[in-house]
Amino acid sequence: MASFEPVYIKAFQSGLLHEKVKSANKILNSCVLCPRECRINRIEGQLGICKTGKNAWLNAYKAHLGEETPLIGKNGSGTFFFTHCNLLCIFCQNYELSHEGRGKEISNSEMAEMMLILQEAECPNIHFISPTHVVPQILSALEIAVQKGLSIPLVYNSSGYESIETLKILDGIIDIYMPDFKFWDPDISEKLCSAYDYPEKARAAIIEMHRQVGDLVLDESGKAHRGLLLRHLIMPSGLAGTQNIMHFVAQEISPNTYVNIMPQFKPHGRSYEVKELMNCITEDDYADTLKAAREAGIHRIDPRPGKVFMGF
Ligand code: SF4
C-alpha cells in the first residue's frame, strides 16, 4: 500500500476524526444510529433491537480469503465478524452471531489492537462485517489504532439498512463501502426482516455511499483501494426482486458499479417459517440473475466462479 493513503489519515491529522468520534458516541445516549431508531441509552446499558450496549461484541477477527476478489490480496481481507445485527433477517447464514449473540464483548482498545494485528499479517484492508450498530466503537478504536500506525483502508460491509446521518459521520473515514441490496419489495422485507422500510433506506444509503466514494477503483494488481462494491444475494422464488435492483443500480448509481452476485443462499435460521425460503438456488436462478444484471447494463461483475448450492 505504498502509494495509497486511506482517507481517515487526513481526518485524523486535521482533528476531524476526533470530532466524528465525539458525534458518534453522543448518539449512543438515545440511539438512532440506524433506521430502527430505538432511542434507548446504550451508555447506561439499555439494549435496543441490536442488543448491543456501550461496547461492541465480536465473534471473530481473522485474515479471510472468502471475500470478493479485489479485497483479499494474497493474505486475505482483515475481517471483523461482529456479533448482533440491526436488520436480523430470519434466514441469516450467521444466525448464531446475529440473532443468538455468539461472541464476546470487546473494548475499543482491544479492537484497535486487533486492527494492528491484521495489518501486521499483511491484510490489504480492515473489513467490518455488520458494523452499523457499532459505528461509534469502530471510530473510537480507529482513533487509537491510527496513532499506533494503522494505514490500510477500511471496508464497511453492511446490509444496507443504514441511516443517512450515520453515513455522513463516516464520510471521509471509509474508503470502501460494501452494502448488500437484498429486497426490492417492502412487504417481503417486512416478512423476512421486520423492516418494511428496508428498500427505501437501502436505496438512499447506497446513493449516499456512492456519493462519498464513487465507483470501485482497483490498482494495477486488481486490489481495491476505494469505491463502492455492491453485493446481491440471489433469493429463492424471486424474493429479492433482482431485475428492479439491477435496473436501479445501473440507472441511479452507475453502470460501472462493481457487483458481486452471490448464489450461496441456504435456508438457515428460521427460514422454515416462510415456505418460499425452503427452496434452494438453482443453476438457472444464477444464470438468470447474471443475465438480469447484464441486461440492466451492469458490466463489472465479481469474477469468482459462482458455487451454486443445489441442496442441503
Ligand atoms: S443501532 Fe441498535 S439500538 Fe441503535 S437504533 Fe439501531 S437497532 Fe436500535
Side-chain angles (χ1 to χ4, degrees), residues 31-34 36-38 40 42 48-50 86 132-133:
C31 191
V32 288
L33 271 178
C34 85
R36 300 289 191 190
E37 297 194 351
C38 299
I40 44 88
R42 291 173 54 179
I49 287 175
C50 66
N86 69 321
T132 310
H133 57 299

Side-chain angles (χ1 to χ4, degrees), residues 147-276:
Q147 293 175 71
K148 295 184 173 183
L150 188 76
S151 62
I152 52 177
L154 305 183
V155 181
Y156 189 88
N157 172 348
S158 92
S159 66
Y161 196 44
E162 300 284 345
S163 110
I164 296 299
E165 290 70 26
T166 301
L167 289 177
K168 285 192 187 298
I169 293 175
L170 294 172
D171 192 2
I173 303 295
I174 301 295
D175 273 295
I176 301 168
Y177 280 108
M178 187 158 70
D180 202 346
F181 197 158
K182 293 172 181 290
F183 321 106
W184 186 260
D185 184 334
D187 289 323
I188 290 172
S189 53
E190 173 65 23
K191 194 170 178 180
L192 303 185
C193 310
S194 303
Y196 185 84
D197 60 354
Y198 172 82
E200 172 201 334
K201 298 296 181 186
R203 281 193 295 272
I206 295 166
I207 288 170
E208 171 61 17
M209 291 172 179
H210 187 257
R211 182 195 71 73
Q212 291 183 21
V213 297
D215 293 330
L216 192 69
V217 175
L218 308 179
D219 68 11
E220 58 288 345
S221 68
K223 193 189 299 171
H225 278 178
R226 183 170 168 81
L228 178 77
L229 194 167
L230 189 90
R231 278 181 162 180
H232 179 61
L233 178 67
I234 306 171
M235 296 289 294
S237 318
L239 289 169
T242 295
Q243 278 184 328
N244 286 324
I245 288 174
M246 293 302 155
H247 184 76
F248 163 79
V249 172
Q251 297 297 317
E252 306 291 328
I253 306 295
S254 163
N256 297 319
T257 304
Y258 190 104
V259 178
N260 181 15
I261 291 173
M262 303 188 297
Q264 65 260 44
F265 175 88
K266 285 173 86 176
H268 294 280
R270 303 197 327 274
S271 294
Y272 56 82
E273 292 178 3
V274 175
K275 189 169 146 266
E276 297 95 312

Side-chain angles (χ1 to χ4, degrees), residues 266-267 277-280 309-312:
K266 285 173 86 176
L277 288 179
M278 296 311 287
N279 297 324
C280 284
F309 293 97
M310 302 293 287
F312 62 100

